[in-house]
Amino acid sequence: MSGHGFLLAAYVPGTSLVHRAPLWLKFLLVVGCGMTSFLIADWAVSAAMLVLLCGLFLLSGAGPARLFRAVRPVLPVLVAIGLFQWWQLGAPTAARIVLNVLVCVVAASILTATTPVQALLDGVASLARPFRRFGADPERFALTIAIMLRSIPFVAQAYTDVRDSARARGLERNPRALVLPVFISTVAFARQTGEALAARGLGEPEDPED
Amino acid sequence: MSIIVLDRVSVRVPVDGRPAPKTLLQELSLDLTERRIGVIGANGSGKSTLLRLLNGLVAPSGGTVRIDGADTVRAVREVRRRVGFVFTDPLSQLVMPTGREDVELSLRRSIRNATERRVHAESVLERFGLLPLADQSIYELSGGERQLLALAAVLAVEPEVLVLDEPSTLLDLRNRELLRRTLAGLRQQVILSTHDLDLARDMDRVLVVDAGKVVFDGEPAAAVAHYRALSAAGLPSAGGPAGGRLEQA
Amino acid sequence: MTQTDRPATARTPRRRGRWNATDLGLIAVFAALVAASALIAAIPVGGLGVPITLQTLAVMLTGLALGPGRAFAAVGLYMLLGFAGLPIFSGGRSGLGVLAGPSAGYIIGFLLAATAVGWLTVVVLKRTAHRTGRLRAILLFAAAMLSSIIFIHGLGILGMMVNAKLDFSKAFLADLVFYPGDIIKNVLAVSIALALHKAFPDLLLRRVRTVDPRP
């Protein structure tokens, strides 16, 4: 299952400067980099940012191999987009678009490679705290995110199983029969998860009455 | 020991296209006070429903269930703090990507300080011999290790009662043995359903459930004998395809 | 007997408008389903082995299966995590930068389409409670098509016009390519949703039908 490496760079324990940096700063970095595509008009600035971020990533001690693994899934798409935009809008714009995507991926990877999931959850919970007065429940919000993250490999596996069994039987002509098991098992899994949460006393709304 | 009292409890669910609801559990009254209680019975007999009543996962359609006086509907939070529940499939129960994080999640409500939480989680994992596996993905653990981890995460909050729904069904023989030993060493009151008759024999008291009714209640050996007779009775004589109805779980 | 007919599967007594743990599980897992559908390589289907990606299927199914509120939460959670940097948009992209890309309209369209079809699903299920299954299937398909044309294709075209500076006719043509696949996917989504509601009657149907003022 560890083959599903699309959850960015996984947490690498360490004590580097990046590890010790406050979580809000790393959050800010990710959000800030997400805005670059609106704000930066010059590809050279994007390139400089990318170099800087790669340097930060390596400073954490997670290593170039992990960095490459985090970037690899987006490369084919970036090549396609880059070539298309080069043809449509010219080289500088194409370079800027491609570099900005890479900036986002590396920034997010810095966050995930240097922050354990628990700390991320605490962070999300505290971010959501101001919304409490509007009925938000930070703990349940964070919990939902955690369940989503841990469910992606399950769903991916369900798809893989279905594809394998379709291959084993030859091409399935009825697409409904092919994909239905994925969704049935997904819903069953979701409900079991919910039940297990309830049984552990997690995820239920706080009752103001008692 | 906790005192668990089921008072004239019944469970019914509505069924689409039928005017009358389906009865999952017929009216029954029980006092559960023994340290080790087993529930055996065929698939779909009502075992799971009976166990789910004990921590409020299923609400009774009639009657009440009380754990040391706490009603499972009105005081569901209190009940769930007292009664830990372990499911057949640990993968549906483990929420976090690694064992360490899952145990820490269990402790989120009881221990607010992150460092204390971490220390306590380590001691729990240590106790179950899971510390070396603490940072591995739960998907990389074996079925036995996962079940043990699910158990550890539930026991981390020190419930008084532990309810287990067919905990050994997905385990191989070796891991069943490990589970039996682990359960035998717990201070908690244990109530479990199982198809594993060896596990049932370890209990102090065994209930046999059939078609939503408790049809036997007593010594493990006698209960297992009763269950064997009951299971054989429904089957056709030898030869031909098995004619016993396959009921849904 | 002291009380009558409290549904046994009510995990906890449901309070108005609050999601219980099962709802959270459904929201989270459907968000994961949408994410995984964007990432998993397409499945070859049918005699020609034409590959289809399943993301729009997953999005529409989320609405058809969960109804408007939980579908909005599920697709919203997916988008939020994608914007926050998790590479779960199609092709492994992520970040707010996606909003500047040509597919921005489609991604925003997903959220609105899932919510709209969820809302229409509840209406259809209520109105056809005593009708034949076929009418229900046809109406749900119409709801799915309407939602995806207005929101996914509508915003998709708008997104290409704004971000890729295409004029309307070019954007319209670029979008047209997706129609045949979408029709097939909506047919599939409806038939899968009906199967899900049959397998799990309290997923949405029972919640819809018991519009019962009792607590």
mmCIF file of all heavy atoms in Angstrom, chain C residues 125-143:
data_model
loop_
_atom_site.group_PDB
_atom_site.id
_atom_site.type_symbol
_atom_site.label_atom_id
_atom_site.label_comp_id
_atom_site.label_asym_id
_atom_site.label_seq_id
_atom_site.Cartn_x
_atom_site.Cartn_y
_atom_site.Cartn_z
ATOM 1 N N LEU C 125 -36.663 11.911 -4.817
ATOM 2 C CA LEU C 125 -36.949 10.754 -3.970
ATOM 3 C C LEU C 125 -38.230 10.960 -3.175
ATOM 4 O O LEU C 125 -39.022 10.042 -2.999
ATOM 5 C CB LEU C 125 -35.781 10.477 -3.033
ATOM 6 C CG LEU C 125 -34.494 9.987 -3.697
ATOM 7 C CD1 LEU C 125 -33.439 9.680 -2.642
ATOM 8 C CD2 LEU C 125 -34.749 8.751 -4.549
ATOM 9 N N LYS C 126 -38.454 12.187 -2.716
ATOM 10 C CA LYS C 126 -39.675 12.466 -1.969
ATOM 11 C C LYS C 126 -40.908 12.310 -2.853
ATOM 12 O O LYS C 126 -41.895 11.710 -2.459
ATOM 13 C CB LYS C 126 -39.638 13.904 -1.437
ATOM 14 C CG LYS C 126 -39.067 14.027 -0.041
ATOM 15 C CD LYS C 126 -39.205 15.467 0.413
ATOM 16 C CE LYS C 126 -38.437 15.699 1.706
ATOM 17 N NZ LYS C 126 -38.202 17.131 1.930
ATOM 18 N N ARG C 127 -40.801 12.881 -4.064
ATOM 19 C CA ARG C 127 -41.966 12.893 -4.947
ATOM 20 C C ARG C 127 -42.271 11.525 -5.541
ATOM 21 O O ARG C 127 -43.389 11.270 -5.964
ATOM 22 C CB ARG C 127 -41.738 13.886 -6.103
ATOM 23 C CG ARG C 127 -41.630 15.317 -5.657
ATOM 24 C CD ARG C 127 -43.013 15.891 -5.370
ATOM 25 N NE ARG C 127 -42.906 17.137 -4.618
ATOM 26 C CZ ARG C 127 -42.830 18.336 -5.179
ATOM 27 N NH1 ARG C 127 -42.872 18.440 -6.475
ATOM 28 N NH2 ARG C 127 -42.728 19.407 -4.433
ATOM 29 N N THR C 128 -41.260 10.663 -5.652
ATOM 30 C CA THR C 128 -41.491 9.379 -6.327
ATOM 31 C C THR C 128 -41.507 8.220 -5.335
ATOM 32 O O THR C 128 -41.306 7.079 -5.707
ATOM 33 C CB THR C 128 -40.414 9.095 -7.388
ATOM 34 O OG1 THR C 128 -39.141 9.061 -6.723
ATOM 35 C CG2 THR C 128 -40.394 10.140 -8.465
ATOM 36 N N ALA C 129 -41.771 8.523 -4.070
ATOM 37 C CA ALA C 129 -41.706 7.478 -3.050
ATOM 38 C C ALA C 129 -42.600 6.288 -3.383
ATOM 39 O O ALA C 129 -42.281 5.147 -3.070
ATOM 40 C CB ALA C 129 -42.070 8.062 -1.694
ATOM 41 N N HIS C 130 -43.741 6.549 -4.042
ATOM 42 C CA HIS C 130 -44.656 5.431 -4.304
ATOM 43 C C HIS C 130 -44.752 5.107 -5.784
ATOM 44 O O HIS C 130 -45.681 4.438 -6.220
ATOM 45 C CB HIS C 130 -46.037 5.761 -3.735
ATOM 46 C CG HIS C 130 -45.976 6.101 -2.282
ATOM 47 N ND1 HIS C 130 -45.734 5.158 -1.309
ATOM 48 C CD2 HIS C 130 -46.071 7.297 -1.626
ATOM 49 C CE1 HIS C 130 -45.700 5.743 -0.125
ATOM 50 N NE2 HIS C 130 -45.895 7.039 -0.293
ATOM 51 N N ARG C 131 -43.786 5.603 -6.570
ATOM 52 C CA ARG C 131 -43.838 5.358 -8.004
ATOM 53 C C ARG C 131 -42.901 4.229 -8.383
ATOM 54 O O ARG C 131 -42.171 3.701 -7.559
ATOM 55 C CB ARG C 131 -43.451 6.627 -8.772
ATOM 56 C CG ARG C 131 -44.393 7.777 -8.558
ATOM 57 C CD ARG C 131 -45.813 7.432 -9.005
ATOM 58 N NE ARG C 131 -46.644 8.623 -9.102
ATOM 59 C CZ ARG C 131 -46.618 9.457 -10.127
ATOM 60 N NH1 ARG C 131 -45.807 9.236 -11.137
ATOM 61 N NH2 ARG C 131 -47.400 10.509 -10.152
ATOM 62 N N THR C 132 -42.891 3.938 -9.697
ATOM 63 C CA THR C 132 -42.023 2.865 -10.174
ATOM 64 C C THR C 132 -40.561 3.307 -10.154
ATOM 65 O O THR C 132 -40.253 4.492 -10.174
ATOM 66 C CB THR C 132 -42.364 2.510 -11.636
ATOM 67 O OG1 THR C 132 -42.158 3.683 -12.423
ATOM 68 C CG2 THR C 132 -43.780 2.033 -11.750
ATOM 69 N N GLY C 133 -39.695 2.334 -10.129
ATOM 70 C CA GLY C 133 -38.270 2.622 -10.109
ATOM 71 C C GLY C 133 -37.800 3.308 -11.376
ATOM 72 O O GLY C 133 -36.876 4.111 -11.351
ATOM 73 N N ARG C 134 -38.472 3.012 -12.499
ATOM 74 C CA ARG C 134 -37.996 3.562 -13.768
ATOM 75 C C ARG C 134 -38.139 5.080 -13.833
ATOM 76 O O ARG C 134 -37.220 5.786 -14.224
ATOM 77 C CB ARG C 134 -38.753 2.915 -14.939
ATOM 78 C CG ARG C 134 -38.362 3.512 -16.277
ATOM 79 C CD ARG C 134 -38.829 2.653 -17.404
ATOM 80 N NE ARG C 134 -38.327 1.288 -17.273
ATOM 81 C CZ ARG C 134 -38.382 0.385 -18.260
ATOM 82 N NH1 ARG C 134 -38.910 0.696 -19.402
ATOM 83 N NH2 ARG C 134 -37.921 -0.828 -18.080
ATOM 84 N N LEU C 135 -39.297 5.554 -13.364
ATOM 85 C CA LEU C 135 -39.532 7.002 -13.360
ATOM 86 C C LEU C 135 -38.474 7.692 -12.508
ATOM 87 O O LEU C 135 -37.903 8.708 -12.877
ATOM 88 C CB LEU C 135 -40.933 7.302 -12.811
ATOM 89 C CG LEU C 135 -41.268 8.782 -12.717
ATOM 90 C CD1 LEU C 135 -41.416 9.385 -14.095
ATOM 91 C CD2 LEU C 135 -42.520 9.013 -11.887
ATOM 92 N N ARG C 136 -38.212 7.083 -11.361
ATOM 93 C CA ARG C 136 -37.228 7.623 -10.442
ATOM 94 C C ARG C 136 -35.858 7.705 -11.125
ATOM 95 O O ARG C 136 -35.174 8.730 -11.047
ATOM 96 C CB ARG C 136 -37.166 6.689 -9.242
ATOM 97 C CG ARG C 136 -36.326 7.190 -8.125
ATOM 98 C CD ARG C 136 -36.460 6.282 -6.934
ATOM 99 N NE ARG C 136 -37.361 6.846 -5.950
ATOM 100 C CZ ARG C 136 -37.500 6.348 -4.719
ATOM 101 N NH1 ARG C 136 -36.851 5.260 -4.373
ATOM 102 N NH2 ARG C 136 -38.305 6.922 -3.872
ATOM 103 N N ALA C 137 -35.485 6.646 -11.836
ATOM 104 C CA ALA C 137 -34.185 6.618 -12.509
ATOM 105 C C ALA C 137 -34.101 7.717 -13.568
ATOM 106 O O ALA C 137 -33.100 8.431 -13.666
ATOM 107 C CB ALA C 137 -33.949 5.245 -13.138
ATOM 108 N N ILE C 138 -35.191 7.872 -14.340
ATOM 109 C CA ILE C 138 -35.180 8.877 -15.411
ATOM 110 C C ILE C 138 -35.080 10.282 -14.836
ATOM 111 O O ILE C 138 -34.293 11.114 -15.299
ATOM 112 C CB ILE C 138 -36.457 8.732 -16.286
ATOM 113 C CG1 ILE C 138 -36.375 7.426 -17.079
ATOM 114 C CG2 ILE C 138 -36.619 9.927 -17.220
ATOM 115 C CD1 ILE C 138 -37.655 7.045 -17.779
ATOM 116 N N LEU C 139 -35.857 10.537 -13.770
ATOM 117 C CA LEU C 139 -35.820 11.869 -13.168
ATOM 118 C C LEU C 139 -34.453 12.168 -12.558
ATOM 119 O O LEU C 139 -33.943 13.283 -12.662
ATOM 120 C CB LEU C 139 -36.913 11.992 -12.105
ATOM 121 C CG LEU C 139 -38.333 12.104 -12.656
ATOM 122 C CD1 LEU C 139 -39.344 12.126 -11.514
ATOM 123 C CD2 LEU C 139 -38.483 13.352 -13.519
ATOM 124 N N LEU C 140 -33.859 11.147 -11.927
ATOM 125 C CA LEU C 140 -32.540 11.369 -11.337
ATOM 126 C C LEU C 140 -31.508 11.645 -12.427
ATOM 127 O O LEU C 140 -30.618 12.479 -12.268
ATOM 128 C CB LEU C 140 -32.105 10.165 -10.498
ATOM 129 C CG LEU C 140 -32.788 10.009 -9.147
ATOM 130 C CD1 LEU C 140 -32.228 8.796 -8.401
ATOM 131 C CD2 LEU C 140 -32.621 11.260 -8.292
ATOM 132 N N PHE C 141 -31.652 10.938 -13.551
ATOM 133 C CA PHE C 141 -30.723 11.182 -14.658
ATOM 134 C C PHE C 141 -30.883 12.616 -15.171
ATOM 135 O O PHE C 141 -29.899 13.321 -15.414
ATOM 136 C CB PHE C 141 -30.959 10.174 -15.787
ATOM 137 C CG PHE C 141 -30.129 10.461 -17.008
ATOM 138 C CD1 PHE C 141 -28.759 10.248 -16.999
ATOM 139 C CD2 PHE C 141 -30.707 10.971 -18.161
ATOM 140 C CE1 PHE C 141 -27.986 10.528 -18.118
ATOM 141 C CE2 PHE C 141 -29.944 11.264 -19.282
ATOM 142 C CZ PHE C 141 -28.581 11.036 -19.252
ATOM 143 N N ALA C 142 -32.143 13.045 -15.289
ATOM 144 C CA ALA C 142 -32.389 14.419 -15.730
ATOM 145 C C ALA C 142 -31.774 15.410 -14.750
ATOM 146 O O ALA C 142 -31.142 16.402 -15.148
ATOM 147 C CB ALA C 142 -33.893 14.660 -15.856
ATOM 148 N N ALA C 143 -31.913 15.123 -13.462
ATOM 149 C CA ALA C 143 -31.340 16.005 -12.438
ATOM 150 C C ALA C 143 -29.824 16.064 -12.577
ATOM 151 O O ALA C 143 -29.216 17.139 -12.493
ATOM 152 C CB ALA C 143 -31.725 15.498 -11.045
#
